[in-house]
Amino acid sequence: QVQLVESGGGLVQAGGSLKLSCAASGRAFSNYFIGWFRQAPGKGRQFIARINWSNGAPWYSDSVKGRFTISRDNAKNTVYLQMNTLEPEDTAIYYCAASTSWRLIEESYNYWGQGTQVTVSS
């Protein structure tokens, strides 16, 4: 069974940085895509970044491109989301999820972490 555990959330001032971690366990992830999603209060879940575990190829939504960086550490089975120049609009619960599909749709992700809260104050 795949397990994903996020950590690294917290409270930060606008313009600051945070680094989220997603520790994965349960199987080999070489054929997986790991995505980061976020859900702000009163809004739907937004797909913001993804990494191809086998080759490290990243993808970003326009809302975070240039500010966020996704990476992985194969030895630690962990995916990271480095978030820079944070804005109050980035306030949300951040989730990581795993999929074997290349498709950039939330429905293809069938393993989810519990989420970590990120709050950006103005």
Side-chain angles (χ1 to χ4, degrees):
Q1 182 72 7
V2 173
Q3 290 188 323
L4 303 171
V5 179
E6 302 97 334
S7 61
L11 174 64
V12 64
Q13 288 189 330
S17 299
L18 280 175
K19 187 174 185 177
L20 305 183
S21 299
C22 173
S25 62
R27 63 181 62 190
F29 288 91
S30 57
N31 295 324
Y32 276 76
F33 297 85
I34 304 296
W36 281 99
F37 298 76
R38 66 185 182 186
Q39 187 164 20
K43 295 187 177 181
R45 195 150 54 189
Q46 181 187 15
F47 193 171
I48 59 170
R50 183 196 75 179
I51 191 165
N52 181 332
W53 196 292
S54 66
N55 62 14
W59 168 86
Y60 303 97
S61 69
D62 287 343
S63 61
V64 306
K65 193 177 298 181
R67 300 188 299 125
F68 291 10
T69 303
I70 190 170
S71 62
R72 84 221 189 281
D73 184 328
N74 288 338
K76 295 183 178 180
N77 252 22
T78 299
V79 170
Y80 303 100
L81 187 68
Q82 176 68 47
M83 307 187 295
N84 298 329
T85 320
L86 284 162
E87 305 165 351
E89 294 73 23
D90 295 315
T91 295
I93 300 174
Y94 283 69
Y95 301 90
C96 66
S99 171
T100 55
S101 171
W102 58 268
R103 301 177 72 190
L104 285 167
I105 57 172
E106 180 180 335
E107 290 76 12
S108 70
Y109 285 78
N110 44 16
Y111 300 104
W112 292 82
Q114 82 289 352
T116 186
Q117 177 71 47
V118 171
T119 303
V120 184
S121 63
S122 57

